[in-house]
């Protein structure tokens, strides 16, 4: 399968190149030249596959010339690290279904993609005999999941930027207590958007990118989005087996990556299998305003919330959806993104009806988030983390006649402060988190200065 840029500036490339590039050479994001589709017959053949088997089938649609046996080995290694045999189990809770995406090494949904991506990177580097320097920004969970995906692997250094003091304490400890020689943590005096802009700037400098063989682990990397497509198909098949022909999903999102994976899954499956994608945001609501009002604009400063992984004003994956809004016209995408970079807004009111057909959206307040955690603890003896609570509250608000699968994006113990505020109780730490506070950590605290970060990477990067 060939891959192209959302901005139309590169010739089609192969899957293995797309995995290693992350960001396209023209500054756009990579997408398949065409999206495959799954026939009802093939979907029926997938009905009883376990998660690893389904992942192999879905990934194989996109992976081009990679030998199937090699892909199968990568999938096996990636998901053998998960604690639940179903990898992403789905459980009925009240009137909703909750898909638990937090059974990986760092107890967050990012593990589903990053355990696979780390193995893909290693596979390609072994083939080429090369090296790479992985650079990423995180608002919380991506950093630790990426670190755990590549820690100790030869031929790779990883540099993770996170906003100093704006992640949960456990999220910070998960990153900074990993002391493998190839791991570099940078806590920045700024926001996630600042960190993300610096990372994108480094990737846009083609000379620097080529010299240091930069690799992307944020959801700007297509392989991350693709890995997340699998669990939407998995959840639909679970409910299909119970007699449901159509399913809605509720997705807490700030960066638009996870819900864009749902959009791809919706195109992949037969018509109406995935009916609605409910986009749930906290008070940092640029995406909700886009869907409901056609307004994609930065509104003041990022507001810190109980769901810090969603404290984002600029959704880096939105450009991929914009490409489809513009009828796959890369020149129009490029013009819109340049306008947004200059003014902080895009007038997309002309697409309000189309966006409303693809998504429903709801913004959830801090009070509603805490109340939802409390409600599910008291009524269902089920603990939600605050991000999942945002998705659950949006599902309650927008639920129709079809079953709704809410994506549970993190273990509640990662956000103990919010859970304690809601329930009055401390969350018991699972073994993966217990004892982190007593471990030695390693982290550099730097200003959100692009030149400063660039110099740090140059000093510590692999060069051969």
């Amino acid at each position: 399968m060939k891959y192209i840029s959302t901005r139309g500036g590169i010739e089609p490339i192969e899957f293995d190149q797309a995995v290693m590039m992350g960001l396209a050479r023209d500054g756009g994001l990579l997408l398949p030249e065409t999206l495959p589709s799954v026939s009802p017959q093939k979907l029926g053949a997938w009905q009883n596959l376990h998660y690893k088997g389904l992942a192999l089938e879905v990934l194989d649609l996109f992976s081009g010339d990679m030998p199937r046996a090699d892909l199968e080995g990568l999938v096996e290694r990636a998901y053998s690290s998960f604690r639940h045999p179903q990898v992403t189990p789905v459980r009925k809770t009240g009137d909703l279904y909750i898909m638990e995406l937090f059974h990986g090494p760092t107890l967050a949904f990012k593990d589903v993609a990053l355990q696979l991506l780390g193995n893909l990177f290693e596979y390609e580097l072994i083939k080429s005999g090369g090296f790479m320097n992985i650079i990423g920004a995180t608002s919380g969970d991506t950093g630790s999941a990426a670190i755990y995906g590549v820690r100790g692997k030869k031929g790779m250094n990883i540099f993770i930027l996170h906003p100093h003091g704006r992640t949960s304490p456990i999220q910070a400890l998960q990153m900074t207590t990993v002391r493998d020689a190839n791991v570099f943590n940078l806590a920045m005096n700024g926001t996630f958007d600042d960190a993300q802009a610096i990372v994108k700037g480094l990737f846009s400098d083609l000379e620097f990118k080529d010299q240091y063989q930069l690799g992307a682990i944020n959801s700007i990397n297509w392989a991350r989005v693709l890995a997340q497509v699998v669990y939407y198909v998995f959840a639909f098949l679970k409910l299909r087996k119970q007699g449901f022909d159509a399913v809605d999903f509720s997705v807490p999102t700030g960066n638009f990556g996870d819900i864009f994976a749902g959009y791809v899954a919706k195109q992949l499956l037969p018509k109406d299998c995935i009916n609605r994608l409910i986009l749930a945001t906290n008070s940092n609501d640029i995406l909700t305003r886009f869907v409901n009002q056609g307004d994609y604009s930065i509104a003041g400063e990022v507001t810190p919330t109980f769901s810090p992984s969603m404290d984002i004003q600029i959704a880096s994956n939105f450009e991929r959806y914009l490409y489809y809004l513009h009828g796959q016209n890369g020149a129009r995408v490029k013009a819109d993104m340049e306008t947004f970079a200059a003014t902080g807004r895009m007038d997309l009111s002309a697409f309000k009806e189309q966006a409303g057909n693809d998504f429903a959206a709801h913004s959830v307040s801090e009070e509603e988030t805490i109340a939802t955690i409390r409600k599910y603890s008291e009524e269902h003896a089920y603990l939600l983390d605050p991000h999942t609570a945002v998705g659950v509250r949006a599902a309650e608000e927008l639920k129709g006649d079809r079953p709704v699968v809410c994506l549970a994006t993190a273990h509640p113990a990662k956000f103990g402060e919010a859970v304690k505020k809601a329930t009055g109780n401390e969350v018991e730490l699972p073994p993966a988190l217990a004892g982190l506070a007593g471990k030695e950590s390693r982290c550099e605290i730097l200003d959100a200065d692009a030149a400063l970060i660039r110099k740090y990477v140059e000093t510590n990067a692999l060069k051969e």
Side-chain angles (χ1 to χ4, degrees):
M1 175 172 285
K2 301 288 188 181
Y3 286 80
I4 57 175
S5 169
T6 53
R7 302 190 188 186
I10 62 169
E11 293 300 315
I13 60 172
E14 298 289 348
F15 176 73
D16 56 351
Q17 295 173 285
V19 168
M20 299 301 280
M21 286 175 66
L23 199 68
R25 295 188 69 83
D26 63 356
L29 303 185
L30 295 169
L31 279 170
E33 193 171 26
T34 58
L35 288 174
S37 59
V38 175
S39 67
Q41 293 75 23
K42 180 173 283 189
L43 191 64
W46 288 358
Q47 180 66 68
N48 294 312
L49 291 176
H50 54 71
Y51 192 90
K52 293 177 186 176
L54 180 64
L56 175 62
E57 296 298 333
V58 174
L59 296 172
D60 197 35
L61 296 175
F62 294 86
S63 60
D65 294 333
M66 180 180 291
R68 185 176 169 91
D70 291 358
L71 182 60
E72 185 174 15
L74 294 172
V75 168
E76 176 65 31
R77 286 197 295 279
Y79 299 121
S80 292
S81 62
F82 281 65
R83 286 174 290 275
H84 196 286
Q86 294 184 40
V87 182
T88 62
V90 179
R91 58 183 292 172
K92 184 77 159 42
T93 308
D95 293 331
L96 303 173
Y97 292 83
I98 294 180
M99 179 163 56
E100 296 178 342
L101 303 176
F102 51 73
H103 291 284
T106 70
L107 308 182
F109 82 99
K110 309 292 178 71
D111 288 322
V112 177
L114 287 164
Q115 284 295 304
L116 178 67
L117 187 57
N119 283 292
L120 279 168
F121 281 157
E122 184 177 52
Y123 173 83
E124 294 295 339
L125 290 174
I126 289 172
K127 274 203 319 182
S128 67
F131 70 94
M132 72 186 307
N133 291 286
I134 301 165
I135 302 181
T138 185
S139 55
D141 288 329
T142 287
S144 57
I147 287 168
Y148 276 73
V150 305
R151 62 183 297 184
K153 284 184 165 62
K154 293 181 180 179
M156 289 179 253
N157 276 1
I158 183 168
F159 300 83
I160 294 295
L161 285 63
H162 71 270
H164 184 47
R166 293 189 180 219
T167 67
S168 79
I170 280 185
Q171 285 177 316
L173 284 169
Q174 281 188 302
M175 290 184 280
T176 61
T177 56
V178 177
R179 295 178 52 79
D180 295 70
N182 70 329
V183 174
F184 298 86
N185 280 290
L186 301 174
M188 292 178 43
N189 293 315
T191 67
F192 168 75
D193 288 334
D194 296 329
Q196 183 168 255
I198 290 173
V199 169
K200 280 194 168 185
L202 292 175
F203 276 92
S204 297
D205 183 337
L206 297 182
E207 183 179 351
F208 184 84
K209 180 182 177 183
D210 290 344
Q211 180 180 358
Y212 292 101
Q213 295 294 295
L214 300 190
I217 52 81
N218 282 75
S219 53
I220 58 175
N221 189 302
W222 165 253
R224 262 197 60 179
V225 176
L226 176 55
Q228 292 169 277
V229 171
V230 176
Y231 52 66
Y232 284 92
V233 181
F234 182 74
F236 169 72
L237 289 172
K238 283 283 186 184
L239 271 70
R240 183 175 185 259
K241 201 168 185 178
Q242 297 179 32
F244 297 108
D245 294 325
V247 175
D248 293 344
F249 285 89
S250 184
V251 188
T253 190
N255 217 15
F256 205 78
D258 204 3
I259 200 160
F260 183 75
Y263 175 81
V264 173
K266 184 175 180 177
Q267 314 313 308
L268 183 73
L269 295 177
K271 184 175 171 56
D272 294 332
C273 288
I274 296 176
N275 184 69
R276 282 199 312 171
L277 294 165
I278 297 171
L279 186 157
T281 63
N282 59 26
S283 55
N284 299 288
D285 64 349
I286 185 171
L287 295 173
T288 294
R289 285 186 285 112
F290 158 68
V291 174
N292 292 340
Q293 302 164 30
D295 172 25
Y296 190 82
S297 62
I298 298 173
E301 298 295 322
V302 173
T303 303
T305 71
F306 285 119
S307 45
S309 297
M310 298 160 65
D311 293 347
I312 296 169
Q313 286 273 26
I314 304 172
S316 63
N317 268 283
F318 184 74
E319 183 172 333
R320 285 190 164 107
Y321 179 60
L322 188 61
Y323 178 73
Y324 291 111
L325 283 181
H326 280 314
Q328 303 181 52
N329 185 323
R332 292 183 66 186
V333 173
K334 182 179 180 181
D336 270 357
M337 294 307 297
E338 287 174 350
T339 297
F340 183 74
T343 66
R345 76 181 303 271
M346 284 186 272
D347 181 4
L348 300 175
S349 56
F351 297 107
K352 185 172 179 293
E353 181 178 353
Q354 184 175 343
N357 290 333
D358 291 331
F359 305 101
H362 186 69
S363 177
V364 177
S365 70
E366 292 288 82
E367 293 77 13
E368 289 174 311
T369 300
I370 295 302
T372 303
I373 296 172
R374 182 182 302 116
K375 172 184 174 181
Y376 276 74
S377 174
E378 292 175 353
E379 296 183 9
H380 306 293
Y382 189 88
L383 278 184
L384 304 170
D385 93 284
H387 305 79
T388 307
V390 169
V392 166
R393 179 69 191 96
E396 291 179 332
E397 184 72 19
L398 300 177
K399 186 178 186 300
D401 296 332
R402 293 159 300 277
V404 183
V405 178
C406 299
L407 273 55
T409 56
H411 192 288
K414 298 192 76 169
F415 302 93
E417 179 185 352
V419 175
K420 184 176 181 180
K421 182 176 179 64
T423 67
N425 300 317
E426 299 279 356
V427 185
E428 182 179 354
L429 294 180
L433 301 181
L436 282 179
K439 289 186 176 181
E440 187 176 354
S441 63
R442 185 181 69 190
C443 182
E444 293 281 345
I445 302 174
L446 299 174
D447 288 336
D449 182 297
L452 195 62
I453 303 301
R454 181 188 179 107
K455 182 65 176 176
Y456 185 91
V457 171
E458 288 175 335
T459 301
N460 295 283
L462 285 175
K463 299 177 176 65
E464 59 181 33

